[in-house]
Amino acid sequence: MEHLDRENMANVEKQENIEAESLIKRKKKKKLGGIKTMPFILANEICDRFANTGFHANMITYLTQELNLPLVKAANTLTNFNGAANFAPLFGALISDSFAGRFSTIMAGSIIYELGLISLTISAVQPRFHPPKCPTQENCKEASTLQIWVLYICLLLTSLGSGCIRPCVVTFAADQIDMTKSGVAARSWNLFNWYYFSMGMATLAALTLVVYIQDNVGWGWGLAIPTTAMALSILAFLVGSPHYNRIKPEGSPLVRLAQVIVAAVRKRKEVVRADPALLYENRELDAAISLNERLLHTNQFKWFDKAAIVTGSDATDSNTPNLWRIATVHRVEELKSIIRMFPIWAAGILVFASSSHSRSFTIQQARTMDRHLSHSFQFPPASLAIFGVISLLIGLVLYERLFVPFARRFTRNPSGITYLQRIGIGLVINILATVVAAVVEIKRKAVAAEHNLLDDPKAIIPISVFWLAPQFSLHGTAEVFAFVGLLEFLYDQSPESMRSTAAALYWIAISAGDYVGTLMVSLVHKYSGKKSNWLPDRNLNRGRLENYYWLVTATQAINLLYYVICSWLYTYKTLEEVSEICEEVEELAGDEIPSMILDSRNGHGEVELGRNELA
């Protein structure tokens, strides 16, 4: 052990030189990036979201009205491909973090996505890709196998493209600005709030313009507009490319996690000493994966600390350690951080599952209700989602400008409340949304029964379609808290080198929610009976959709209890952060390197200026 200590001391001077070179590189990178790059990056995501919403929002109508698919089959088809699109970010993130980088991954994904949109637009205007029209919605001829496969290929291309774009855009935007704890606390705006706000504006435009064109002009034009928007997004992203700060990927994060696990298994018989200072540290080795922050040792999941125990058989040369036999504390803590995040992440799955099919069914409800705003103009059913988007946009502004300053007075937290508190509030609001949905469906069917319209699936029930607006507004408000909070939590609590992967976890939660929703709908449709099926194929008036909403409400209530327990037990990561001020002091201090030591137990970090002696 003494021999190892002498060798580590001998490498101190070399490590100082490496850190000095790293400081020079960081200062050069400051000339790139910055706020000036945000319009180009967000323009790409805004156009992407406009295109995505433009063809997904009303796709249930396309499947049921143009391809004549039964409601449950159409809803499950749409949800399954949404699930694929939301699972694909895992592969996009791994490609980005492992070797391609975020810029190249976004570009490749945008091109694939555009090819999918072009193919979908062509299939919409070619009659041979459609079955005969069925205005009565009775005894309709469904789309043929070939026609269905054409649709599947188009949706698959868009899913693969979005899988490359989604995990990288928000993290690429974060690469352009100072996202250290001190940097975030110094700003009066939150990147994730404004990212979501920009996406909300794009969604609102798509729901009002594109959906109206699809319902009243035609699907050719209705899909051509999103296709054009996506092409513009690629152009905008390319224009800003000379100004981007591009962080070089440093190998697969999954390989690093696997190395820690293998090293710990190999040393399973070793005893972890009480003093964490005896565990293996190598700043030179970790420099490329800890540019702005270094994870500090925590006492949670101490079994994995075995991977950092130095034994006589381990290579001690700092340049050539066998990472399948020994891991640094930083790498061990990367694995611990991911493990800690999983229970909180899992709670988001049922939240997304609760809304995975609700909009599909809500659009079908809306088609049976009075949608007239004037004698000649009818409100498009798919545009009901604008109430959720408007609530999201207003909620984000109020949250940042009113709620955060108010809460900050009591909590002393720069962000008002912690991520976990924000997510919890969103979960409660989402439960209220499904309760309202069930009550409104009961009201809709009561009016239908009063006018003897239960057996006419094409009849317009004399009840305003805007009875459906409150549930959308509640879902939008829930997004302000739960969805934005979850994305921010995953970004902040993930290791620095795994942030694209962490962003992918957000989309994977949506994907898993889609598939859980599909499973629930399929089981309910199969086992809720034939005569009074909760989710019938054609006549929703004879269904029991309200019972499905009550079932969703019950599962969410159980999920909320699970989340409260997990959040109560959660331990925030602890890290050592080199701030901008400390970087300047480094040049003057020489061998003494001040650093920002942050204990994140409050969710956003209480900053304490510490001094780390290298010698």
Side-chain angles (χ1 to χ4, degrees):
M1 183 64 70
E2 293 178 359
H3 173 67
L4 296 177
D5 289 340
R6 284 196 300 270
E7 288 192 354
N8 285 335
M9 292 294 293
N11 289 322
V12 167
E13 183 177 353
K14 185 176 182 180
Q15 290 181 7
E16 289 178 347
N17 293 334
I18 293 292
E19 290 177 359
E21 292 176 1
S22 177
L23 176 61
I24 295 173
K25 290 180 181 179
R26 283 198 296 267
K27 288 189 175 295
K28 287 182 178 178
K29 286 182 179 178
K30 290 175 191 175
K31 298 177 182 179
L32 298 174
I35 298 297
K36 64 179 180 293
T37 63
M38 291 297 114
F40 302 108
I41 298 173
L42 292 182
N44 175 271
E45 180 66 3
I46 288 171
C47 292
D48 168 45
R49 185 57 60 91
F50 177 82
N52 185 278
T53 304
F55 84 89
H56 266 297
N58 207 21
M59 189 55 65
I60 187 67
T61 302
Y62 184 79
L63 297 181
T64 56
Q65 303 291 326
E66 300 294 323
L67 298 183
N68 298 334
L69 297 183
L71 174 60
V72 171
K73 183 178 180 180
N76 282 343
T77 297
L78 188 57
T79 303
N80 287 338
F81 271 96
N82 282 340
N86 292 325
F87 188 79
L90 175 62
F91 300 101
L94 292 177
I95 291 171
S96 170
D97 284 344
S98 299
F99 61 89
R102 288 169 189 142
F103 175 83
S104 298
T105 306
I106 293 172
M107 277 302 307
S110 299
I111 293 171
I112 296 172
Y113 196 99
E114 178 67 9
L115 292 175
L117 287 176
I118 292 173
S119 302
L120 190 63
T121 304
I122 293 174
S123 69
V125 298
Q126 289 292 327
R128 58 182 169 178
F129 295 122
H130 300 269
K133 294 285 186 179
C134 185
T136 63
Q137 287 297 292
E138 294 181 358
N139 300 318
C140 300
K141 181 181 179 180
E142 293 185 24
S144 67
T145 302
L146 175 61
Q147 292 166 342
I148 292 294
W149 273 105
V150 169
L151 173 71
Y152 285 174
I153 292 172
C154 297
L155 294 179
L156 180 61
L157 286 172
T158 60
S159 298
L160 292 175
S162 63
C164 294
I165 298 171
R166 289 177 176 178
C168 297
V169 169
V170 67
T171 50
F172 189 64
D175 290 343
Q176 313 307 314
I177 57 177
D178 181 11
M179 288 299 292
T180 60
K181 297 287 185 182
S182 50
V184 171
R187 282 197 297 269
S188 61
W189 52 276
N190 183 302
L191 172 65
F192 297 94
N193 285 343
W194 289 105
Y195 167 81
Y196 244 87
F197 184 86
S198 300
M199 300 312 100
M201 291 296 293
T203 301
L204 182 63
L207 290 173
T208 51
L209 174 63
V210 178
V211 170
Y212 177 82
I213 291 174
Q214 289 169 350
D215 279 351
N216 296 277
V217 179
W219 281 91
W221 282 105
L223 291 173
I225 292 176
T227 303
T228 304
M230 191 63 209
L232 292 175
S233 78
I234 298 173
L235 180 62
F237 191 65
L238 279 174
V239 169
S241 60
H243 307 289
Y244 297 147
N245 176 24
R246 306 184 196 183
I247 295 178
K248 181 182 177 182
E250 294 296 336
S252 171
L254 293 187
V255 171
R256 289 201 302 277
L257 298 181
Q259 287 172 335
V260 174
I261 295 172
V262 170
V265 170
R266 284 181 168 180
K267 298 179 179 179
R268 59 189 178 278
K269 295 182 180 180
E270 298 289 338
V271 177
V272 179
R273 299 188 182 183
D275 186 2
L278 299 176
L279 298 176
Y280 182 57
E281 297 270 12
N282 191 326
R283 294 198 178 192
E284 177 185 351
L285 181 65
D286 293 335
I289 60 173
S290 56
L291 296 176
N292 299 302
E293 60 184 43
R294 186 171 66 92
L295 296 176
L296 301 180
H297 178 266
T298 61
N299 290 321
Q300 202 171 18
F301 309 122
K302 292 190 68 174
W303 187 85
F304 291 107
D305 289 343
K306 293 176 182 290
I309 296 176
V310 181
T311 64
S313 61
D314 294 320
T316 58
D317 186 345
S318 62
N319 290 322
T320 59
N322 185 348
L323 295 177
W324 294 98
R325 294 193 60 87
I326 188 168
T328 64
V329 170
H330 176 83
R331 293 170 186 244
V332 172
E333 291 301 322
E334 283 187 329
L335 177 60
K336 290 183 182 181
S337 296
I338 296 297
I339 294 174
R340 281 194 293 264
M341 289 163 55
F342 264 111
I344 301 296
W345 168 83
I349 293 176
L350 283 181
V351 180
F352 293 119
S354 68
S355 58
S356 63
H357 280 77
S358 62
R359 291 184 179 180
S360 301
F361 294 136
T362 304
I363 291 175
Q364 296 304 106
Q365 289 174 278
R367 291 195 174 280
T368 69
M369 303 169 76
D370 182 10
R371 297 184 283 115
H372 283 92
L373 292 179
S374 66
H375 179 71
S376 59
F377 179 78
Q378 293 192 75
F379 192 83
S383 293
L384 279 168
I386 66 172
F387 292 103
V389 178
I390 291 173
S391 295
L392 171 67
L393 296 176
I394 295 175
L396 285 171
V397 175
L398 294 179
Y399 182 90
E400 187 156 298
R401 297 304 176 188
L402 296 180
F403 179 80
V404 171
F406 176 77
R408 191 182 292 150
R409 298 179 182 178
F410 302 95
T411 64
R412 306 287 183 180
N413 191 314
S415 296
I417 56 177
T418 67
Y419 311 131
L420 297 181
Q421 291 168 342
R422 184 174 185 174
I423 296 170
I425 294 172
L427 265 59
V428 173
I429 298 174
N430 210 51
I431 292 175
L432 294 178
T434 53
V435 170
V436 170
V439 172
V440 170
E441 174 61 5
I442 293 173
K443 172 67 176 178
R444 187 190 71 85
K445 291 204 303 181
V447 175
E450 182 181 345
H451 292 82
N452 298 317
L453 298 174
L454 290 176
D455 293 316
D456 187 357
K458 299 292 292 181
I460 301 300
I461 302 170
I463 178 175
S464 174
V465 72
F466 297 110
W467 275 82
L468 299 172
Q471 67 198 63
F472 280 96
S473 296
L474 286 170
H475 276 302
T477 305
E479 282 193 49
V480 172
F481 289 89
F483 293 9
V484 182
L486 179 61
L487 181 60
E488 193 173 10
F489 165 80
L490 291 172
Y491 178 89
D492 181 80
Q493 290 299 295
S494 65
E496 179 183 1
S497 61
M498 299 184 185
R499 281 176 173 157
S500 291
T501 305
L505 288 177
Y506 174 83
W507 296 104
I508 292 173
I510 300 177
S511 173
D514 287 337
Y515 288 123
V516 170
T518 296
L519 178 63
M520 290 178 62
V521 167
S522 299
L523 292 176
V524 167
H525 180 66
K526 182 176 181 179
Y527 295 108
S528 59
K530 293 184 178 180
K531 292 185 178 180
S532 58
N533 196 285
W534 290 9
L535 303 172
D537 284 329
R538 297 294 178 186
N539 188 359
L540 197 61
N541 296 334
R542 282 299 183 183
R544 296 288 187 274
L545 182 59
E546 68 277 10
N547 289 350
Y548 172 76
Y549 285 138
W550 290 126
L551 175 64
V552 171
T553 301
T555 58
Q556 285 193 92
I558 297 172
N559 186 53
L560 176 62
L561 178 61
Y562 161 80
Y563 174 79
V564 169
I565 295 172
C566 291
S567 60
W568 183 269
L569 298 175
Y570 184 78
T571 302
Y572 287 89
K573 71 179 183 182
T574 304
L575 55 87
E576 178 184 63
E577 178 183 285
V578 180
S579 69
E580 299 294 330
I581 297 176
C582 292
E583 288 180 352
E584 294 178 4
V585 178
E586 281 183 23
E587 298 177 300
L588 300 175
D591 61 339
E592 293 184 343
I593 300 180
S595 60
M596 302 299 285
I597 308 298
L598 291 95
D599 181 357
S600 308
R601 70 171 64 94
N602 73 341
H604 296 271
E606 301 222 358
V607 181
E608 176 186 352
L609 184 63
R611 187 169 296 277
N612 176 35
E613 301 289 339
L614 285 180

